[in-house]
Amino acid sequence: MNFGIVLLCTDAVYKIILRTKQFAYKQYKLALHAGIRQKSTVQYASRPDLPKLAYRKVKGKSPGVVFLPGFASNMGGQKAEALEEFCRSLGHSYLRFDYTGCGASEGVGAECTVGSWKRDVLFVLDELVDGPQILVGSSMGGWLMLLAAIARPEKTAALVGIATAADHFVTAYKSLPLEARKEIEEKGEWTVATKHNEEGSYTLSTTFLQEAENHCVLQCPIPVTCPVRLIHGLKDEDIPWHISMQVADRVLSTDVDVILRKHGQHRMAEKDDIKLMVYTIDDLIDKLTTLA
């Protein structure tokens, strides 16, 4: 294994480890309690022959932070909102956006693929932000951040994965019994049960699954050399925590930490989960600023 340290974090342990970050987090909390939350406005990026992308941006210092949501999620989630407030409190730039076919962006979700969402991320890095960014990917966003870091190493300062779902759709499909896969192939779609939407399920076409296989990263070394932080909950019932361990083992970077939350679930949206995410990003900003 080529990663640095693995932390099994209870609340007490990580509060001791990250005590030096208390001041920045207090500033963030004071801003919230003082009622000075300044929500960024939604903007739309036009792209030739492609749907418009909705995004929110806060101007500030480098390195900036870009948040990549999970599958069928959007930029209005708790983690995305909290990160905006934190970056604003530090004076660093921040951008969050909706993938094509999701949230406020144009497009039809059912027609999208992992490749089209990767294209969205690359457009954001190429056109909407300046300089290297800290990419923060939640669930499927963690997979996309790896793909973006491979494609745009010069625009990637560091990675923070939260319940990183690298290769998830492909791995989950291939783990099904042969008979179940044959039935899905005959129907042309796979209905997957979930607790994360009102319908209780989502549907993936076999075309989506076949395309996703082109973007798998866990079968060989991942050519990412920037600092990588991976946070995962041991009680994650959607994406097993060992996926983050596999990512840590595959990336070429020698600056890799895996932080396991003993009671953390998939969304990692509890107050202490968000606090840990914020501390981790603040620590990376300090590290990158010092190196610069």
Side-chain angles (χ1 to χ4, degrees), residues 71-73 191-203 267:
F71 175 75
S73 187
T191 300
V192 185
T194 181
K195 300 176 183 177
H196 303 306
N197 64 27
E198 293 181 0
E199 295 79 12
S201 65
Y202 59 87
T203 301
R267 287 197 165 176

Side-chain angles (χ1 to χ4, degrees), residues 15-170:
K15 283 176 183 175
I16 292 172
I17 294 170
L18 299 170
R19 186 172 291 166
T20 57
K21 301 302 164 192
Q22 290 289 349
F23 177 75
Y25 189 73
K26 282 180 180 176
Q27 293 296 101
Y28 160 62
K29 285 174 66 179
L30 284 171
L32 295 184
H33 291 313
I36 58 173
R37 293 183 68 168
Q38 299 175 358
K39 202 170 187 179
S40 57
T41 57
V42 177
Q43 302 179 64
Y44 292 89
S46 297
R47 303 179 292 172
D49 302 319
L50 291 172
K52 291 181 180 179
L53 284 186
Y55 68 99
R56 292 177 180 268
K57 184 176 182 180
V58 174
K59 294 182 179 179
K61 298 180 291 187
S62 295
V65 177
V66 175
F67 183 79
L68 313 183
F71 175 75
S73 187
N74 59 63
M75 61 178 167
Q78 289 174 284
K79 295 187 292 292
E81 295 258 351
L83 265 183
E84 176 169 317
E85 292 301 324
F86 187 68
C87 288
R88 191 189 298 277
S89 73
L90 289 184
H92 280 262
S93 66
Y94 176 70
L95 186 143
R96 50 186 167 124
F97 71 102
D98 288 334
Y99 305 122
T100 299
C102 300
S105 286
E106 294 181 348
V108 180
E111 298 175 358
C112 295
T113 62
V114 172
S116 66
W117 290 327
K118 171 189 171 182
R119 182 178 60 203
D120 292 345
V121 179
L122 297 183
F123 174 83
V124 167
L125 293 178
D126 291 341
E127 304 296 336
L128 301 183
V129 297
D130 298 316
Q133 305 290 307
I134 297 174
L135 305 184
V136 181
S138 177
S139 192
M140 184 190 75
W143 184 2
L144 292 173
M145 81 177 180
L146 291 168
L147 296 174
I150 294 168
R152 297 289 189 275
E154 73 283 0
K155 296 301 293 280
T156 308
L159 302 180
V160 178
I162 303 162
T164 299
D167 300 5
H168 172 63
F169 302 120
V170 176

